[in-house]
Amino acid sequence: TQLLEQSPQFLSIQEGENLTVYCNSSSVFSSLQWYRQEPGEGPVLLVTVVTGGEVKKLKRLTFQFGDARKDSSLHITAAQPGDTGLYLCAGEKEGRGGADGLTFGKGTHLIIQP
Amino acid sequence: EAQVTQNPRYLITVTGKKLTVTCSQNMNHEYMSWYRQDPGLGLRQIYYSMNVEVTDKGDVPEGYKVSRKEKRNFPLILESPSPNQTSLYFCASSPSMGGGNQPQHFGDGTRLSIL
């Protein structure tokens, strides 16, 4: 089983601060996706990274895929209360053309206090 | 509106009473999947389907069945539910799998409580 370890599990910070969430594995993934989940709803895709070393930006969110495609990070600049939620990374298992779907990390619970 | 619809959203039932959670998507997606989400364990895949009449086990298939008779529907069946199947369940779909650019669209979840 390919595992994805997310850290930290829980993070509570003040509005305006910066933060980084990590997603690490000993396995190589074809691609990695980041989702955000709010209470009572399903996860919603934020971004997909495919190429080793790739960096994608989504407003104040910066996503990076590791050079070896084993890890990823999500950096939020000037966090706002609206960023509060559960952030999940998910890797597409390499081989079998993705037939096995995604392996999810356990998530990072992020709370941004006003 | 493109969506994945699960029903019911909430269900409290008793051990051994067969139940079905329905999932329907209106995006003509080939790939559909069921997950359960538990505190401390994250999202774990139960079953998935690459296309009509093609289903396969995920990481935690025990106690569950699925069927894919039509492209849009992928019901999850608990023949004899037990308390350890109390969980939050999500259905998801994507155009296909593989290629690295296949976002999964999730339903809003079904919270099952088995007493």
Side-chain angles (χ1 to χ4, degrees):
Chain A
T1 304
Q2 295 168 303
L3 298 176
L4 279 167
E5 301 286 340
Q6 282 189 245
S7 61
Q9 272 190 283
F10 299 92
L11 183 60
S12 179
I13 63 172
Q14 294 294 125
E15 181 177 1
E17 293 184 19
N18 301 332
L19 67 106
T20 302
V21 175
Y22 299 93
C23 178
N24 296 307
S25 176
S26 58
S27 301
V28 176
F29 289 90
S30 303
S31 65
L32 203 133
Q33 300 177 353
W34 283 92
Y35 291 80
R36 179 164 164 260
Q37 184 180 10
E38 297 193 51
E41 298 180 9
V44 176
L45 181 72
L46 295 174
V47 77
T48 301
V49 285
V50 180
T51 307
E54 183 176 3
V55 176
K56 281 192 175 178
K57 293 195 174 185
L58 189 66
K59 297 183 181 177
R60 294 175 293 99
L61 279 60
T62 302
F63 304 85
Q64 184 161 10
F65 202 12
D67 291 339
R69 291 184 288 126
K70 292 182 179 181
D71 54 84
S72 181
S73 63
L74 157 60
H75 182 79
I76 301 179
T77 304
Q80 298 178 3
D83 296 327
T84 293
L86 175 65
Y87 288 81
L88 297 159
C89 66
E92 180 186 352
K93 301 172 191 179
E94 190 153 72
R96 295 193 65 193
D100 292 337
L102 297 175
T103 295
F104 279 84
K106 293 179 182 178
T108 293
H109 293 267
L110 177 62
I111 297 174
I112 310 300
Q113 304 193 32
Chain B
E1 180 189 350
Q3 58 186 5
V4 177
T5 304
Q6 295 179 227
N7 279 297
R9 291 292 312 277
Y10 304 91
L11 179 63
I12 301 174
T13 187
V14 296
T15 299
K17 186 176 180 183
K18 179 180 178 180
L19 68 93
T20 300
V21 184
T22 64
C23 174
S24 180
Q25 50 94 4
N26 63 359
M27 295 167 279
N28 201 36
H29 284 172
E30 291 184 348
Y31 186 94
M32 297 186 74
S33 184
W34 275 103
Y35 296 87
R36 59 178 290 175
Q37 187 174 37
D38 302 287
L41 297 175
L43 275 163
R44 294 177 293 167
Q45 190 180 50
I46 303 170
Y47 267 95
Y48 62 92
S49 170
M50 298 284 283
N51 213 325
V52 176
E53 301 292 1
V54 181
T55 63
D56 210 343
K57 297 177 180 178
D59 297 319
V60 287
E62 294 77 22
Y64 305 95
K65 286 173 60 177
V66 293
S67 69
R68 187 90 182 274
K69 295 187 173 123
E70 308 163 279
K71 201 171 191 178
R72 64 183 291 128
N73 296 322
F74 190 45
L76 179 69
I77 303 154
L78 285 71
E79 293 270 4
S80 184
S82 62
N84 65 10
Q85 293 177 298
T86 292
S87 186
L88 178 60
Y89 291 85
F90 287 100
C91 179
S93 74
S94 66
S96 63
M97 277 312 293
N101 287 305
Q102 301 293 337
Q104 295 213 25
H105 299 260
F106 284 83
D108 283 336
T110 295
R111 188 165 290 281
L112 278 183
S113 293
I114 315 294
L115 305 178

